[in-house]
Amino acid sequence: MPILIRHILAGMMMAALCLQACSTSPSTTQVLYDFESDDQLDAFHWKCHTLFSIADAYATHGEKSLKLTLFPSAYPGWSPALKQHNWRGYQSLRLDIYNPEQMPVDLTVRIDDTKKETGYTNRYNKTFQLVPGENTIEILLDSLTTSVTGRPLNLETIHRFMVFVVRPDKKITLYLDNFRLIPFNL
Amino acid sequence: MYFYGRYIEAEHVSVVTVSAQAHGMGVLPEGKKIVLLADLHLSGFGKREADILQAIDAIEPDLILLGGDYIQWHGAIDGAMTFLSRLSAPDGVYGVMGDYDYSDSRQSCLFCHEKNSGKPTRRHSVTWLRNSAHRLSIDGQDVWIAGIDNAYGGGAADLQQAIDSRTPMLVLSHSPLAFDEFSENHPVFMLAGDTHGGQIRLPGWVYRMFGYQKNVDYNYGLFHRGDKTLYVTRGTGTSHVKFRLFCPPEIVEIQF
């Protein structure tokens, strides 16, 4: 093969490698929590009227799920420490939830892109109805906007994720699993 | 001086007596005694803790009030739970939580509940006050005992029912800054800790420089504003460093 052609091919390979290295879009699913071990519970914000435990039932990823027991109170729910704050490059957020109750449960999702509490209108808030049985909450990240003002959230500084029930009048149990970020190519 | 602050002053806890009647705070019937403890910051349970309990028993208090910070930051809880289990008084033991007690949120549940359960703990008989109030009748005299817990959400506003009753109130708060949330027209007797009296006696501008407003405004002792009164205890333990200088640890006996 003439030297010139070899040099051209080598240059093209180098360019291809650089392009791949320089790409910021992830290509694999990022599992944020899979609830496989009890020590993951240490990363949650524990407060009164909510109980967390690792369960063998209703797992959709691995062997275990998170059992969430919510007692009557203002906003019982789940608020985990986020190990990954940069969600840019992902297409969506998904969370599998099994509702063993006989009735639908309204679950509110709150996402903040600031560390400081700045109020309802400066964060994403949306309520999802969980039917009895299997559910998957999917949130397209390009739809993450603040309530009322409609400001797009800064996906590079996602600080807080919460799910909660508003003022339940009786105990509610839910099973969560496979809290994950989905890339564009899936 | 290091040896004195570390091994003598930090270790020796004495009983400080405050006369409530002398300061116009007749919240409880005459002759009653309250013990106030705060900022224990226990790492375990040993001779020092047993001595503190013995001193409390010798006072024979009618009521024990606890001002929070029972453990070290992210510290173990067992020593504090053993200590709390040994407390009892005829009119009850009431307490509030401090910021250190919430440093490990999962562990903080154990102050109230059995492990991995919503059932109340059986390890002690402390009644926790979280922006709530209990109405007691002590020797025929009604009194509200209320507690403020800023980490739990809310604050003095949640105690409005007790405030509206115009009945004398004993208010427990970990931070003395909650004193500013109450009107000067209400007969509130607040008991607080958190400051450690500075732990090392320093001028107010030094506390201000480090951002310790609580020490600037209410470092230690009695404060009167209209009808409301605040007592801030130096507490019994230490945090950050095991060292006290001219701020000896104390158990407070309040005599009515």
Side-chain angles (χ1 to χ4, degrees):
Chain A
M1 187 184 288
I3 292 177
L4 178 62
I5 292 175
R6 269 187 271 159
H7 283 168
I8 290 171
L9 283 173
M12 287 172 67
M13 278 177 62
M14 290 284 289
L17 282 170
C18 281
L19 273 174
Q20 189 175 17
C22 293
S23 169
T24 56
S25 293
S27 58
T28 57
T29 298
Q30 176 69 43
V31 176
L32 299 174
Y33 280 96
D34 62 1
F35 314 114
E36 293 299 299
S37 64
D38 183 85
D39 57 7
Q40 286 196 357
L41 305 187
D42 294 334
F44 301 166
H45 177 62
W46 291 68
K47 62 176 189 174
C48 289
H49 308 297
T50 305
L51 197 54
F52 307 119
S53 59
I54 301 296
D56 294 325
Y58 309 117
T60 59
H61 183 271
E63 304 291 324
K64 313 279 186 183
S65 64
L66 173 68
K67 182 180 178 183
L68 203 61
T69 308
L70 309 175
F71 295 90
S73 56
Y75 306 106
W78 175 58
S79 178
L82 291 178
K83 288 166 258 184
Q84 180 163 337
H85 298 280
N86 187 353
W87 292 2
R88 184 165 297 286
Y90 291 95
Q91 182 181 40
S92 66
L93 178 73
R94 287 186 197 163
L95 175 62
D96 298 333
I97 305 178
Y98 187 89
N99 175 13
E101 308 288 336
Q102 300 299 313
M103 299 294 292
V105 171
D106 288 336
L107 189 73
T108 301
V109 174
R110 167 184 160 178
I111 302 175
D112 297 52
D113 62 351
T114 58
K115 188 174 182 179
K116 192 178 171 185
E117 288 269 359
T118 49
Y120 178 86
T121 58
N122 201 36
R123 60 186 185 235
Y124 171 89
N125 306 276
K126 185 171 180 182
T127 299
F128 296 83
Q129 188 177 75
L130 305 176
V131 298
E134 296 176 353
N135 299 263
T136 294
I137 288 178
E138 178 170 25
I139 300 171
L140 295 175
L141 296 186
D142 60 7
S143 72
L144 276 190
T145 55
T146 58
S147 296
V148 181
T149 58
R151 173 182 69 79
L153 262 63
N154 183 349
L155 294 178
E156 293 181 1
T157 60
I158 299 299
H159 182 74
R160 186 180 293 110
F161 174 90
M162 298 171 68
V163 294
F164 56 91
V165 176
V166 178
R167 303 189 188 281
D169 54 10
K170 63 179 180 69
K171 187 178 83 171
I172 291 173
T173 301
L174 298 170
Y175 294 85
L176 279 57
D177 203 3
N178 204 8
F179 180 43
R180 61 205 183 276
L181 291 167
I182 307 295
F184 279 92
N185 60 351
L186 282 188
Chain B
M1 184 167 285
Y2 169 77
F3 183 87
Y4 168 77
R6 166 64 181 85
Y7 294 105
I8 297 177
E9 186 165 316
E11 292 294 329
H12 181 69
V13 184
S14 57
V15 177
V16 168
T17 303
V18 175
S19 171
Q21 301 291 354
H23 294 283
M25 297 172 295
V27 179
L28 292 187
E30 196 169 335
K32 292 295 179 183
K33 290 182 283 186
I34 290 178
V35 157
L36 170 65
L37 281 178
D39 302 291
L40 288 160
H41 289 294
L42 299 178
S43 300
F45 186 93
K47 184 181 180 307
R48 184 176 185 270
E49 288 70 37
D51 289 344
I52 292 171
L53 289 168
Q54 199 168 28
I56 294 170
D57 287 343
I59 295 170
E60 295 183 334
D62 300 286
L63 190 62
I64 297 175
L65 300 178
L66 306 172
D69 276 5
Y70 310 101
I71 62 173
Q72 293 288 347
W73 192 264
H74 282 293
I77 198 176
D78 284 336
M81 293 297 277
T82 300
F83 187 94
L84 295 176
S85 72
R86 309 274 180 99
L87 293 173
S88 67
D91 291 313
V93 182
Y94 294 84
V96 292
M97 305 279 275
D99 51 319
Y100 273 53
D101 306 316
Y102 288 114
S103 59
D104 182 330
S105 67
R106 183 179 185 185
Q107 180 179 257
S108 72
C109 297
L110 298 178
F111 280 105
C112 301
H113 300 286
E114 293 183 1
K115 192 174 180 182
N116 298 329
S117 168
K119 293 179 188 172
T121 183
R122 289 172 290 183
R123 292 188 70 178
H124 61 72
S125 58
V126 178
T127 300
W128 297 114
L129 300 169
R130 286 191 157 122
N131 302 318
S132 60
H134 284 230
R135 189 171 187 142
L136 300 182
S137 179
I138 298 178
D139 289 356
Q141 182 168 326
D142 283 349
V143 62
W144 285 97
I145 296 180
I148 293 176
D149 189 332
N150 285 326
Y152 194 64
D158 292 313
L159 309 177
Q160 199 59 44
Q161 182 192 7
I163 293 169
D164 288 345
S165 72
R166 305 294 298 173
T167 302
M169 284 176 69
L170 271 170
V171 180
L172 270 177
S173 173
H174 180 60
S175 170
L177 295 176
F179 190 55
D180 299 334
E181 297 182 47
F182 287 87
S183 162
E184 292 188 9
N185 299 322
H186 192 72
V188 166
F189 182 14
M190 178 176 285
L191 304 170
D194 197 22
T195 65
H196 301 193
Q199 202 166 301
I200 299 172
R201 184 78 66 87
L202 294 167
W205 63 267
V206 175
Y207 298 129
R208 183 177 286 110
M209 189 168 69
F210 285 101
Y212 285 99
Q213 194 61 38
K214 58 193 177 187
N215 294 86
V216 176
D217 293 345
Y218 305 115
N219 192 38
Y220 169 66
L222 275 165
F223 302 87
H224 296 287
R225 302 279 188 274
D227 290 341
K228 63 178 183 177
T229 302
L230 166 69
Y231 182 85
V232 182
T233 172
R234 293 189 296 247
T236 60
T238 54
S239 61
H240 300 294
V241 289
K242 195 167 184 178
F243 185 90
R244 279 181 178 263
L245 195 62
F246 309 134
C247 291
E250 65 178 24
I251 300 164
V252 184
E253 176 188 351
I254 303 174
Q255 295 178 346
F256 287 86

